């Protein structure tokens, strides 16, 4: 049996870059599946051998970037991801968090602050409601823009041509309620008029949410109220009013886009 010589020079650099790229692919995949994935499912998604995925996941777990989900098996993003997101977005988070807390307390529902990340949205802060039936999601999680209320209010800030360039066609059908591209474009026209939208289980079965965009000197974000679909229909108007009031308060306090001109 022969032992491989350690990599050095340019070969070592290439190997290191490849490991980083693979680790990034695994973390992106877990970010797209907040409910967690098994090693086999991760391997299938990133198209790598299960043994390779296991080694990388173990290394990420040691750094708290990935965590095991316990007896049920599977892995999800770890607490260190949330810490990194917080550190890179600390200005907007520290300014907006008191308003998110008030919004959550007012509605007794979970709320989140998100930003665009390519054709997805990324949750950069959240307040989880203190009630029995609630929606819990980790900071750092990614979700498709076209099937989430947060993503759609951010897409509404683009013109239709830019939306078509950004999103795939046909759009991935996340649930039976996910809209196709023509229906999405029609909805975006309405959002530009009202400043609000609501999705009824378009991204995940049983989870709904309403959102408004937040235009500040620090950039454009989305504030969302996320709740079980079972009680969503009767709360749409209350959520709309609370979100629009929250948006006005924040933009008045920290400055809207007009302050950047």
């Amino acid at each position: 049996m022969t032992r491989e010589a350690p990599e050095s020079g340019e070969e070592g650099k290439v190997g290191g870059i490849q490991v980083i790229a693979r680790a990034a692919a695994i973390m992106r995949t877990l970010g797209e599946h907040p409910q967690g994935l098994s090693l086999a499912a991760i391997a299938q998604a990133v198209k790598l051998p299960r043994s390779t995925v296991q080694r990388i996941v173990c290394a990420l777990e040691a750094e708290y970037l990935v965590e095991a989900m316990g007896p049920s098996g599977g892995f999800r993003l770890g607490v260190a991801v949330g810490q990194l997101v917080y550190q890179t977005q600390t200005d907007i988070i520290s300014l907006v968090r008191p308003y998110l807390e008030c919004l959550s307390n007012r509605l007794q529902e979970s709320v989140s602050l998100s930003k665009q990340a390519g054709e997805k949205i990324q949750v950069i802060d959240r307040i989880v409601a203190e009630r029995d039936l609630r929606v819990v999601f980790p900071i750092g999680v990614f979700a498709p823009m076209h099937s989430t209320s947060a993503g759609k209010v951010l897409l509404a800030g683009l013109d239709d041509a830019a939306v078509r360039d950004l999103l795939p066609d046909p759009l991935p059908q996340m649930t039976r309620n996910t809209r196709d591209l023509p229906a999405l474009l029609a909805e975006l026209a309405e959002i530009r008029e009202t400043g609000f939208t609501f999705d009824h289980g378009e991204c995940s079965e049983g989870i709904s949410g309403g959102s408004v965009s937040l235009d500040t000197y620090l950039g454009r974000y989305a504030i969302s109220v996320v709740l079980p679909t079972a009680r969503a229909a009767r709360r749409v108007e209350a959520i709309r009013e609370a979100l629009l009031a929250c948006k006005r308060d924040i933009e008045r306090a920290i400055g809207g886009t007009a302050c950047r001109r």
Side-chain angles (χ1 to χ4, degrees), residues 124-244:
I124 62 173
D125 198 16
R126 58 91 193 268
I127 307 293
V128 176
E130 295 295 333
R131 59 186 301 170
D132 292 337
L133 183 59
R134 58 186 180 171
V135 177
V136 180
F137 44 90
I139 294 174
V141 68
F142 291 86
M145 293 187 78
H146 72 278
S147 61
T148 56
S149 60
K152 288 189 283 189
V153 294
L154 295 179
L155 286 172
L158 307 174
D159 60 32
D160 284 357
V163 172
R164 290 179 183 275
D165 289 340
L166 178 66
L167 300 180
D169 186 15
L171 297 175
Q173 294 297 294
M174 310 303 294
T175 73
R176 60 184 178 181
N177 295 326
T178 306
R179 297 177 185 269
D180 60 16
L181 187 56
L184 174 65
L185 293 175
E187 183 179 1
L188 295 182
E190 295 178 5
I191 296 170
R192 294 177 189 121
E193 293 292 327
T194 65
F196 170 80
T197 193
F198 205 93
D199 79 82
H200 293 276
E202 294 175 35
C203 184
S204 299
E205 295 284 355
I207 299 177
S208 296
S211 298
V212 295
S213 65
L214 183 63
D215 299 300
T216 77
Y217 72 94
L218 292 169
R220 197 159 187 266
Y221 299 85
I223 302 175
S224 306
V225 176
V226 188
L227 69 165
T229 300
R231 63 171 176 263
R234 57 186 171 84
R235 304 217 64 194
V236 173
E237 185 56 27
I239 289 170
R240 185 188 71 83
E241 292 179 359
L243 277 168
L244 290 173

Side-chain angles (χ1 to χ4, degrees), residues 89-153:
Q89 302 289 332
T90 183
D91 287 343
I92 187 67
I93 291 172
S94 60
L95 289 169
V96 171
R97 176 165 268 267
Y99 297 92
L100 296 184
E101 291 173 344
C102 289
L103 180 62
S104 181
N105 289 335
R106 173 178 174 176
L107 295 171
Q108 289 298 294
E109 302 289 359
S110 298
V111 303
S112 69
L113 177 68
S114 306
K115 67 171 186 175
Q116 181 180 352
E119 64 187 50
K120 299 182 183 296
I121 57 114
Q122 182 185 24
V123 175
I124 62 173
D125 198 16
R126 58 91 193 268
I127 307 293
V128 176
E130 295 295 333
R131 59 186 301 170
D132 292 337
L133 183 59
R134 58 186 180 171
V135 177
V136 180
F137 44 90
I139 294 174
V141 68
F142 291 86
M145 293 187 78
H146 72 278
S147 61
T148 56
S149 60
K152 288 189 283 189
V153 294

Side-chain angles (χ1 to χ4, degrees), residues 70-89:
S72 61
F75 294 87
R76 62 189 174 197
L77 292 178
V79 294
V81 174
Q83 293 170 352
L84 290 172
V85 170
Y86 184 88
Q87 289 164 0
T88 58
Q89 302 289 332

Side-chain angles (χ1 to χ4, degrees), residues 11-58:
E11 290 183 1
K13 291 180 183 178
V14 172
I17 292 171
Q18 186 179 58
V19 170
I20 293 170
R22 289 173 172 178
I26 289 171
M27 292 182 65
R28 281 196 298 269
T29 298
L30 291 176
E32 293 167 2
H33 297 84
Q35 75 279 9
L37 290 173
S38 66
L39 287 173
I42 298 171
Q44 183 177 13
V46 299
K47 297 179 173 57
L48 289 172
R50 188 181 184 281
S51 58
T52 300
V53 169
Q54 185 171 16
R55 287 196 301 271
I56 295 174
V57 165
C58 286

